[in-house]
């Protein structure tokens, strides 16, 4: 039962948080002006904090129910874990602080932080999954990591095409390969299914059953 609950939250994070990661990656393309970028960010603003709950719960379950596996993952990929957490914090800081001042320089700097943090999240996850799924480490992992990052970007663009209107919606639809509401929904479902498959395959590769924490000592 613990494995299924962990899988539910981990895959939920990939699919749901993958939308705001992908939108952040594509922010320079979707938003050509400060006003357009504000509109793009507003499209994910109601969701990104809720999406991150899935990651927090996943991390908590790993620490509480699979402590040995969590230790092995952290010890085996310390640089990637630090990069993932740093990207997460910077991206969220950009989303929170961008609108605090109306100065173009201020907003432009935080827009750049949002983009860098989003790409950092996507690539860090890509390198982690390369090691877990394919046993590829080092520079060779760049290719599968880039593929996963591209999947995040396509997922975010499909979500943006559903959320935005007018010119911004058209830009998102062009790169996501969707046209019309039916096409946008189809693209979103396909990218969500692909991220689900990635999560399932990673779970199958991890020795989850062998690392479930046993009951504590009897009082």
């Amino acid at each position: 039962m613990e494995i299924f609950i962990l899988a539910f939250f981990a895959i939920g994070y990939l699919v749901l948080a993958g939308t705001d990661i992908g939108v952040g990656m594509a922010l320079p393309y979707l938003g050509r002006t400060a006003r357009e970028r504000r509109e793009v960010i507003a499209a994910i603003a109601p969701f990104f904090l809720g999406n991150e709950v899935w990651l927090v719960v996943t991390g908590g379950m790993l620490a509480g129910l699979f402590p040995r596996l969590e230790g092995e993952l952290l010890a085996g990929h310390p640089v990637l874990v630090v990069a993932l957490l740093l990207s997460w914090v910077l991206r969220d800081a950009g989303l929170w602080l961008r609108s605090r001042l109306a100065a173009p320089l201020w907003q432009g700097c935080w827009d750049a932080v949002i983009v860098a943090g989003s790409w950092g999240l996507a690539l860090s996850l890509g390198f982690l999954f390369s090691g877990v799924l394919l046993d590829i480490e080092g520079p060779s992992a760049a290719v599968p990591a880039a593929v996963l990052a591209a999947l995040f970007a396509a997922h975010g663009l499909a979500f943006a095409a559903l959320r935005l209107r007018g010119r911004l919606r058209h830009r998102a639809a062009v790169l996501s390969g969707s046209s019309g509401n039916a096409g946008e929904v189809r693209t979103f479902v396909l990218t969500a299914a692909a991220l689900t498959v990635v999560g399932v395959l990673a779970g199958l590769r991890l020795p989850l059953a062998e690392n479930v924490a046993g009951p504590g000592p009897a009082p």
Side-chain angles (χ1 to χ4, degrees), residues 16-107:
L16 297 177
T19 58
D20 52 67
I21 292 173
V23 170
M25 294 168 68
L27 184 62
Y29 167 75
L30 292 173
R32 311 289 174 81
T33 65
R35 181 176 179 179
E36 288 181 345
R37 289 191 291 274
R38 183 172 65 249
E39 187 175 345
V40 172
I41 291 170
I44 61 173
F47 306 103
F48 85 93
L49 280 179
N51 292 341
E52 290 176 348
V53 173
W54 297 79
L55 180 59
V56 173
V57 174
T58 300
M61 289 194 67
L62 273 174
L65 298 177
F66 306 89
R68 185 183 306 170
L69 178 60
E70 185 215 19
E72 291 175 357
L73 288 174
L74 292 177
H77 307 88
V79 175
L80 291 178
V81 172
V82 170
L84 175 65
L85 294 175
L86 184 61
S87 299
W88 181 21
V89 170
L90 288 175
R91 195 282 307 265
D92 282 18
L95 291 171
W96 279 109
L97 296 175
R98 181 190 188 277
S99 60
R100 298 301 182 190
L101 295 176
L105 180 60
W106 172 272
Q107 294 187 348

Side-chain angles (χ1 to χ4, degrees), residues 47-208:
F47 306 103
F48 85 93
L49 280 179
N51 292 341
E52 290 176 348
V53 173
W54 297 79
L55 180 59
V56 173
V57 174
T58 300
M61 289 194 67
L62 273 174
L65 298 177
F66 306 89
R68 185 183 306 170
L69 178 60
E70 185 215 19
E72 291 175 357
L73 288 174
L74 292 177
H77 307 88
V79 175
L80 291 178
V81 172
V82 170
L84 175 65
L85 294 175
L86 184 61
S87 299
W88 181 21
V89 170
L90 288 175
R91 195 282 307 265
D92 282 18
L95 291 171
W96 279 109
L97 296 175
R98 181 190 188 277
S99 60
R100 298 301 182 190
L101 295 176
L105 180 60
W106 172 272
Q107 294 187 348
C109 288
W110 286 114
D111 287 342
V113 170
I114 293 170
V115 175
S118 299
W119 275 95
L121 276 169
L123 290 172
S124 297
L125 288 168
F127 277 100
L128 280 172
F129 278 106
S130 296
V132 171
L133 280 176
L134 305 173
D135 291 324
I136 300 176
E137 304 286 349
S140 301
V143 173
V147 171
L148 184 59
L151 179 56
F152 275 122
H155 191 53
L157 286 166
F159 179 77
L162 291 169
R163 289 280 296 164
L164 298 171
R165 295 293 179 267
R167 259 183 325 190
L168 301 183
R169 176 176 175 271
H170 176 70
R171 287 175 193 162
V174 166
L175 278 192
S176 64
S178 55
S179 58
N181 288 333
E184 291 153 8
V185 171
R186 182 180 64 249
T187 301
F188 183 81
V189 170
L190 288 174
T191 53
L195 288 169
T196 300
V197 170
V198 171
V200 170
L201 292 176
L204 292 174
R205 290 277 294 173
L206 290 172
L208 294 172

Side-chain angles (χ1 to χ4, degrees), residues 1-13 53-54 57-62 65-66 208:
M1 177 61 72
E2 296 92 342
I3 294 174
F4 291 108
I5 297 174
L6 176 64
F8 174 75
F9 281 102
I11 293 171
Y13 173 74
V53 173
W54 297 79
V57 174
T58 300
M61 289 194 67
L62 273 174
L65 298 177
F66 306 89
L208 294 172

